Amino acid sequence: MTETQRGSPHASASPALPPEGAHPALGRPGGGVGIRLLQVSAEIFPLLKTGGLADIAGALPAALAEADCDVRVLLPGFPAICAGLQDAVPVGQFTLPWGESVQVLAGVLPAVPGASGAPVRAYVLHAPALYDRPGNPYEDSARRPYGDNHRRFAALAWGAVRLARDLDADWSPQVVHGHDWHAGLVAACLKLTAGKRVPCVFTVHNLAYQGIFSADQFGDLGLPPAAFQIDGLEFHGQISFMKAGLFYADKITTVSPTYAREIQTPEQGFGLDGLLRTRRGDLSGILNAVDSGVWNPASDALIPRHYTAGHLGGKARCKAALQEEAGLVASKDAPLFTVVSRLTEQKGLTLVLAGIDTIVQGGGQLLVLGSGDHELETAFGHAAQLHPGRVALRIGYDEQFAHRIFAGSDITLVPSRFEPCGLTQMYGLLYGSLPLVRAVGGLADTVTDADLATLDDATATGIVFASFSEADYRHAVRRALALYRQPRAWARVRQTGMQQDFSWAQAAQHYRAVYLAALPDFSRTTT
């Protein structure tokens, strides 16, 4: 049976909250008894970030603490993470399947808030030979994936297993929550090896990145040979860490309700849609949220002037400052379109390139911040040279500059081919930069198109188009330009967008419901 032949398409949205008092052993939200949770991820904001995964990993501990979860995080010992760890003490040491020794340090991360704003408690794998390297967490300085990435993230999985099985004599989790392929092996290691049974929840942030490795590296993972089969880690003759998480986890979540449905289709399932359809009863889509302590134009220390939906004078000052900083012509009347993104084909940037003339001829400007595909970097650079003062490019990622971009821009472009959730459109909404998005994944869940009906009932928050085509994208740009030329309508849409609630409180309660459903005792008390 092939991966795409299993099951029938269906997906759940966010799970229903657990009934009050349904799990007496763990209490209920607000009851003061927490679920002990170990969160496993490769990145965490603000210490180490290559994308939205870090934002989520950094915001969840504090949000879950408000939902009566006792959260600790497990992270690889990358230099930036080790530098952010304070009061570190060793809690144990173990040997990896290939013979390398790893020390587990426990401490706090002052930069990452936990319960009541106190620093989050963390475990860090101290293994310099695995993690202390140049480049980003996954690639060397020449953007080549490290040849032993399978070992580096298998070590993360085995660290989670050891902690789940009482490596720290003072604390052990009741549930382990792994994020994306880097933590995909956690569920397999917990399920397939002897020891205390601890359930695992696995979150897919982007199914396109699967942690694929060659079959001859399977022996390093420390799993039984039977795990390398279609009902296991095997994926077209190779190893897939993502598939390991999807197959062995007790519960699966992804980062928006629409994406939970989309990944069960051949178009967006990346060969795993059949498996996901068989697991549809365990799959939930929980919309990502935004940390209002970091992303709030009323208090953001990284922007030139503060402002709110009711008092927007500061936004005009932010726009003028951004135009000057980016080398764009100073013009309050020129609609400023912006891109803050990895420069990859997934993000629809070929459409942005094709539509630059529509923006420029319509009196607009374009500013791009990002890095990635060399051809896209070169193409945007050429466009900036061709349209000086109207198109600007900054290669790389600058967190502080990103805040100034959202504060100063008028339109945030996210015309993605696929988008699990997306955070940039949420940042745009909250900062009064209308998102122009394609109706996929979390973009469809968070942006309401400005049409006659939604303008009339004041529910419009941006511009949405359906087909991934140059014609549809250009038409969406023209609609944005036309809306900008209607100041009263524009102001109304912008104000509605800025008033959206993307707080973590509801998402945290949904995650808590998933954790409870993963616990064996909970399933018995509710049947």
Side-chain angles (χ1 to χ4, degrees):
M1 182 181 293
T2 66
E3 294 294 340
T4 56
Q5 289 174 329
R6 302 176 177 179
S8 58
H10 176 73
S12 58
S14 298
L17 297 182
E20 291 292 320
H23 201 304
L26 291 171
R28 56 191 181 189
V33 180
I35 303 170
R36 297 191 308 276
L37 176 75
L38 180 66
Q39 174 182 288
V40 186
S41 64
E43 309 174 21
I44 194 165
F45 178 84
L47 298 178
L48 182 62
K49 174 178 175 177
T50 67
L53 166 64
D55 289 323
I56 306 311
L60 258 179
L64 290 171
E66 293 296 320
D68 288 333
C69 293
D70 174 11
V71 185
R72 301 193 183 187
V73 301
L74 170 64
L75 299 156
F78 295 121
I81 290 172
C82 289
L85 184 68
Q86 292 188 8
D87 302 329
V89 295
V91 296
Q93 189 163 322
F94 64 94
T95 302
L96 292 161
W98 55 90
E100 191 167 356
S101 181
V102 174
Q103 187 179 48
V104 180
L105 303 177
V108 296
L109 301 175
V112 183
S116 302
V120 73
R121 296 184 177 186
Y123 297 102
V124 173
L125 298 187
H126 181 62
L130 289 174
Y131 303 122
D132 190 359
R133 303 179 185 181
N136 74 25
Y138 320 111
E139 301 172 330
D140 62 22
S141 54
R143 296 184 180 174
R144 294 172 302 208
Y146 287 111
D148 62 346
N149 272 347
H150 67 295
R151 287 184 170 186
R152 301 170 83 218
F153 296 105
L156 185 64
W158 284 113
V161 171
R162 296 290 180 154
L163 287 165
R165 294 175 179 163
D166 306 316
L167 181 73
D168 183 350
D170 296 325
W171 188 91
S172 63
Q174 293 163 297
V175 181
V176 179
H177 183 178
H179 289 269
D180 241 6
W181 75 259
H182 326 100
L185 211 63
V186 174
C189 294
L190 283 168
K191 252 319 160 45
L192 299 174
T193 57
K196 184 172 71 172
R197 171 80 174 92
V198 178
C200 181
V201 174
F202 179 62
T203 294
V204 179
H205 290 261
N206 192 333
L207 196 63
Y209 299 91
Q210 297 187 3
I212 301 293
F213 302 102
S214 66
D216 60 11
Q217 294 170 318
F218 179 81
D220 285 342
L221 304 183
L223 295 173
F228 188 68
Q229 59 177 318
I230 191 167
D231 289 331
L233 282 72
E234 188 272 335
F235 185 67
H236 299 291
Q238 297 178 296
I239 302 163
S240 169
F241 277 36
M242 176 67 76
K243 187 183 176 189
L246 297 177
F247 188 84
Y248 290 107
D250 296 274
K251 298 292 179 183
I252 304 165
T253 73
T254 191
V255 289
S256 72
T258 294
Y259 192 58
R261 294 188 293 271
E262 290 173 342
I263 59 176
Q264 295 180 67
T265 67
E267 292 76 18
Q268 295 202 37
F270 291 93
L272 293 168
D273 51 290
L275 172 57
L276 284 158
R277 288 194 295 273
T278 67
R279 300 225 54 197
R280 62 190 180 275
D282 296 314
L283 172 62
S284 302
I286 302 175
L287 188 67
N288 277 343
V290 172
D291 186 343
S292 60
V294 176
W295 296 97
N296 185 347
S299 58
D300 191 338
L302 301 177
I303 64 177
R305 291 288 187 276
H306 293 154
Y307 58 93
T308 65
H311 298 85
L312 281 161
K315 185 164 180 66
R317 298 289 298 273
C318 289
K319 180 176 179 178
L322 179 62
Q323 287 173 322
E324 180 179 3
E325 182 178 5
L328 296 168
V329 173
S331 171
K332 63 182 178 61
D333 296 324
L336 176 50
F337 294 73
T338 54
V339 171
V340 178
S341 175
R342 288 179 290 109
L343 301 186
T344 65
E345 195 273 341
Q346 173 208 331
K347 297 295 183 179
L349 298 179
T350 54
L351 298 181
V352 176
L353 282 167
I356 287 176
D357 59 336
T358 304
I359 292 175
V360 172
Q361 291 169 12
Q365 300 173 336
L366 174 66
L367 169 60
V368 177
L369 169 66
S371 63
D373 184 277
H374 178 70
E375 291 184 1
L376 288 172
E377 291 179 0
T378 301
F380 278 114
H382 177 71
Q385 293 175 352
L386 191 63
H387 303 286
R390 307 304 294 269
V391 178
L393 169 68
R394 181 176 292 188
I395 297 294
Y397 185 74
D398 182 329
E399 184 78 14
Q400 296 186 10
F401 189 41
H403 281 247
R404 297 194 293 276
I405 288 175
F406 290 114
S409 63
D410 297 302
I411 300 103
T412 296
L413 295 173
V414 197
S416 302
R417 183 178 291 277
F418 64 93
E419 192 64 61
C421 178
L423 292 172
T424 55
Q425 84 280 8
M426 297 187 198
Y427 301 152
L429 286 165
L430 296 176
Y431 281 67
S433 179
L434 272 60
L436 188 158
V437 306
R438 182 165 173 254
V440 291
L443 304 177
D445 292 329
T446 52
V447 183
T448 301
D449 188 36
D451 59 24
L452 289 176
T454 58
L455 288 170
D456 182 63
D457 65 14
T459 58
T461 59
I463 304 294
V464 182
F465 69 102
S467 173
F468 191 82
S469 69
E470 183 179 324
D472 273 22
Y473 169 75
R474 284 180 181 272
H475 183 64
V477 170
R478 291 197 298 272
R479 289 172 55 210
L481 291 166
L483 185 62
Y484 189 81
R485 292 191 290 267
Q486 302 176 51
R488 292 181 64 184
W490 180 271
R492 193 174 187 183
V493 176
R494 181 170 60 186
Q495 186 175 56
T496 301
M498 293 183 71
Q499 293 171 338
Q500 298 300 297
D501 180 8
F502 296 123
S503 64
W504 272 106
Q506 185 177 22
Q509 292 293 350
H510 286 312
Y511 276 113
R512 187 179 193 274
V514 173
Y515 303 148
L516 288 172
L519 286 162
D521 289 343
F522 178 75
S523 63
R524 285 199 294 270
T525 61
T526 57
T527 55

